[in-house]
């Protein structure tokens, strides 16, 4: 089955620790995206990547980092510099030349 | 800059009633428009999309949406709501004009509650 997988579904960390969220797709999509979702705020773009070894900051990149070493993988690291990391994180991908994005099931991160 | 407004934060309808969720966008050129649905704790699922052509588009699960350029709107409709439609709905717009950037701009969402 083609799709986007995110793991784990739930993640708990102590404040001050970095944590990496996984996103893998087998759709052969070129572009991948990370969004953060908080209640009542819709989706906010953190980082995106249109090709391997290249990525751009979105609207709320501070405190986050990414890498794109393989076409199918786009991991997101939430660093200790992120002031308010507890949120629902969604990964998405799309084909080059198209506009619709397809989403993974999300990871809920709780930092205490 | 692109923006998307969903004026209704929360809508409640009875099962079997009709539904309309509002979406307004601001963008100078022809936008690419989308509706997504999200069940609690899940990712977003694409319901339908509008790129060009017929302004009334059909989607999955019996939903449709109408693009009205004069009103900068792309409202989502369903003639008869089922209890399983209870979810959060997001409108999104992408910049057209040949851009390959593909950024989607999302509204804040409308939470739909369905009464039995």
């Amino acid at each position: 089955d083609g799709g986007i997988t995110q793991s784990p579904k739930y993640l708990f960390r102590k404040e001050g620790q970095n944590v990496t969220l996984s996103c893998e797709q087998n759709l052969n999509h070129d572009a991948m995206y990370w969004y953060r979702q908080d209640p009542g705020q819709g989706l906010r773009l953190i980082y995106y990547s249109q090709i391997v070894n290249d990525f751009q900051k979105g609207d709320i990149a501070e405190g986050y980092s990414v890498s794109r070493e393989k076409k199918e993988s786009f991991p997101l690291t939430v660093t200790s510099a992120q002031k308010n990391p507890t949120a629902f994180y969604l990964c998405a991908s799309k084909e080059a030349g198209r506009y619709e994005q397809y989403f993974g099931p999300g990871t809920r991160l709780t930092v205490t | 800059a692109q923006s998307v407004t969903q004026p209704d934060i929360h809508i409640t309808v009875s099962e079997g009633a009709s539904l309309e969720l509002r979406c307004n966008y601001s963008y100078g050129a022809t936008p690419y428009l989308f509706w997504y649905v999200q069940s609690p704790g899940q990712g977003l699922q694409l319901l339908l999309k509008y790129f060009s052509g017929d302004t009334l588009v059909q989607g999955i699960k019996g939903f449709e949406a109408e693009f009205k350029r004069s009103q900068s709107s792309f409202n989502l409709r369903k003639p008869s709501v089922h209890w399983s439609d209870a979810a959060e709905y997001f409108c999104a717009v992408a910049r057209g004009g040949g851009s390959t950037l593909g950024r989607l701009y999302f509204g804040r969402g409308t939470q739909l509650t369905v009464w039995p």
Side-chain angles (χ1 to χ4, degrees), chain A residues 5-112:
Chain A
T5 56
Q6 292 186 243
S7 60
K9 188 161 181 64
Y10 298 96
L11 194 50
F12 298 89
R13 280 294 183 270
K14 295 286 188 189
E15 201 173 308
Q17 293 179 338
N18 291 354
V19 58
T20 297
L21 282 59
S22 166
C23 178
E24 304 275 332
Q25 54 98 1
N26 60 5
L27 300 168
N28 200 32
H29 286 175
D30 293 284
M32 297 186 74
Y33 303 81
W34 274 105
Y35 294 91
R36 172 183 171 135
Q37 186 178 24
D38 298 280
Q41 296 201 42
L43 277 71
R44 294 183 288 169
L45 183 64
I46 305 172
Y47 268 99
Y48 59 98
S49 167
Q50 300 212 80
I51 56 172
V52 174
N53 292 323
D54 187 45
F55 47 83
Q56 289 78 39
K57 294 181 179 180
D59 300 324
I60 56 164
E62 186 174 348
Y64 299 98
S65 67
V66 293
S67 62
R68 187 87 187 274
E69 297 175 2
K70 298 186 296 183
K71 185 175 184 178
E72 59 269 25
S73 178
F74 191 40
L76 173 75
T77 297
V78 184
T79 75
S80 55
Q82 167 50 233
K83 298 272 188 286
N84 200 9
T86 294
F88 190 53
Y89 291 87
L90 287 158
C91 178
S93 69
K94 77 167 189 71
E95 275 185 74
R98 300 189 66 86
Y99 290 87
E100 59 270 33
Q101 293 180 18
Y102 295 90
F103 285 80
T107 292
R108 184 164 299 281
L109 173 64
T110 303
V111 177
T112 57

Side-chain angles (χ1 to χ4, degrees), chain A residues 37 50 59 99-101, chain B residues 32 36 38 49 99-100 103:
Chain A
Q37 186 178 24
Q50 300 212 80
D59 300 324
Y99 290 87
E100 59 270 33
Q101 293 180 18
Chain B
Y32 291 175
Y36 285 86
Q38 183 182 34
K49 59 192 177 189
S99 166
T100 58
R103 262 205 70 161

